[in-house]
């Protein structure tokens, strides 16, 4: 296992999952549940998200082959998606409401699209298509990122009390800035690969 590549992949996946940005939404959606039930729902939704992402990781090449998509197109699309997500993290929509009236959500919106969203799926597909012989490494990176996001989201009620809403927004914007750089690099890699294939 090459930890020099697993660690950056895990860090990028963690940033793309955006657990800090999702904490207020998770708390709003689950605000009516008692603490024990809340933890069970969060665990269930995050396990569902992990299963979905692992499915895309291992079936990535089959999906790309079936849809006849190239790696360069996936890199460009993934970069664009990441860029849009990062801009939303830096400049959040104050009027956005993810449905706080839902008492016990199932899959939507906590598992999909908040945790296993389009940008996360695109990045997982990119990993599986770029180096399909290293699926074990990418699986480990995914599980590490998921474990970090899970720890933050399970502890989110206490963390929000500790850092407050301003601290949460500041951290989310910092993560957004990092994602802008990663999205730009992914986009440039896709354009480079496309130009070289001509």
């Amino acid at each position: 296992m090459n930890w020099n590549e697993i660690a950056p992949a895990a860090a990028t996946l963690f940033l793309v999952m955006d657990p800090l940005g999702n904490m207020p939404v998770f708390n709003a959606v689950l605000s009516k549940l008692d603490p024990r039930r809340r933890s069970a729902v969060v665990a269930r939704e995050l396990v569902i998200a992990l299963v979905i992402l692992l499915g895309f990781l291992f079936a990535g090449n089959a999906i790309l082959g079936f849809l006849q998509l190239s790696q360069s197109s996936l890199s460009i699309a993934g970069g664009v998606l990441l860029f849009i997500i990062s801009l939303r993290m830096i400049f959040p929509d104050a009027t956005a409401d993810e449905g706080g009236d839902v008492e016990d959500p199932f899959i939507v919106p906590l598992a999909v699209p908040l945790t296993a969203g389009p940008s996360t799926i695109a990045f997982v597909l990119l990993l599986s298509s770029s180096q399909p012989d290293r699926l074990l490494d990418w699986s480990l990176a995914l599980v590490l990122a998921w474990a970090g996001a899970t720890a933050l989201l399970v502890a989110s009620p206490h963390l929000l009390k500790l850092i407050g809403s301003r601290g949460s927004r500041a951290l989310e914007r910092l993560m957004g800035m990092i994602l802008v750089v990663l999205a730009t690099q992914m986009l440039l890699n896709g354009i480079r690969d496309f130009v070289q294939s001509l």
Side-chain angles (χ1 to χ4, degrees):
M1 291 187 181
N2 188 353
W3 286 101
N4 290 330
E5 294 187 20
I6 293 174
T12 303
L13 280 166
F14 177 81
L15 290 172
V16 174
M17 288 180 188
D18 190 22
L20 286 172
N22 290 337
M23 282 197 303
V25 180
F26 269 67
N27 283 299
V29 171
L30 302 174
S31 60
K32 296 182 181 179
L33 300 181
D34 63 86
R36 184 174 297 180
R37 178 66 180 152
R38 175 197 187 101
S39 298
V41 170
V42 170
R44 182 192 70 201
E45 296 302 303
L46 290 171
V47 167
I48 291 172
L50 178 62
V51 170
I52 291 171
L53 291 172
L54 285 172
F56 275 101
L57 178 65
F58 284 96
N61 285 325
I63 293 171
L64 293 178
F66 177 74
L67 297 175
Q68 297 182 346
L69 299 175
S70 66
Q71 185 179 334
S72 58
S73 65
L74 187 61
S75 294
I76 293 172
V80 171
L81 275 173
L82 274 182
F83 193 78
I84 293 171
I85 294 294
S86 60
L87 285 182
R88 288 182 179 174
M89 291 168 67
I90 298 170
F91 306 106
D93 184 3
T95 61
D97 184 4
E98 296 291 341
D101 294 332
V102 180
E103 292 189 0
D104 188 354
F106 183 65
I107 299 180
V108 178
L110 302 184
V112 179
L114 288 180
T115 305
S119 53
T120 314
I121 292 172
F123 189 75
V124 165
L125 284 173
L126 182 63
L127 287 177
S128 66
S129 64
S130 61
Q131 292 180 301
D133 56 324
R134 300 187 56 200
L135 288 181
L136 185 60
D137 290 351
W138 305 142
S139 299
L140 181 57
L142 176 57
V143 170
L144 288 173
W146 174 85
T150 298
L152 276 180
L153 290 170
V154 168
S156 60
H158 309 291
L159 288 174
L160 284 175
K161 288 179 183 177
L162 181 65
I163 65 176
S165 58
R166 285 188 177 182
S168 176
R169 286 196 301 268
L171 285 174
E172 183 181 7
R173 288 174 182 175
L174 177 61
M175 293 171 70
M177 287 296 298
I178 297 171
L179 268 186
V180 165
V181 178
L182 293 172
T184 304
Q185 186 61 54
M186 188 182 295
L187 188 61
L188 290 174
N189 290 344
I191 295 172
R192 181 199 62 200
D193 293 342
F194 174 72
V195 171
Q196 289 178 348
S197 67
L198 294 178

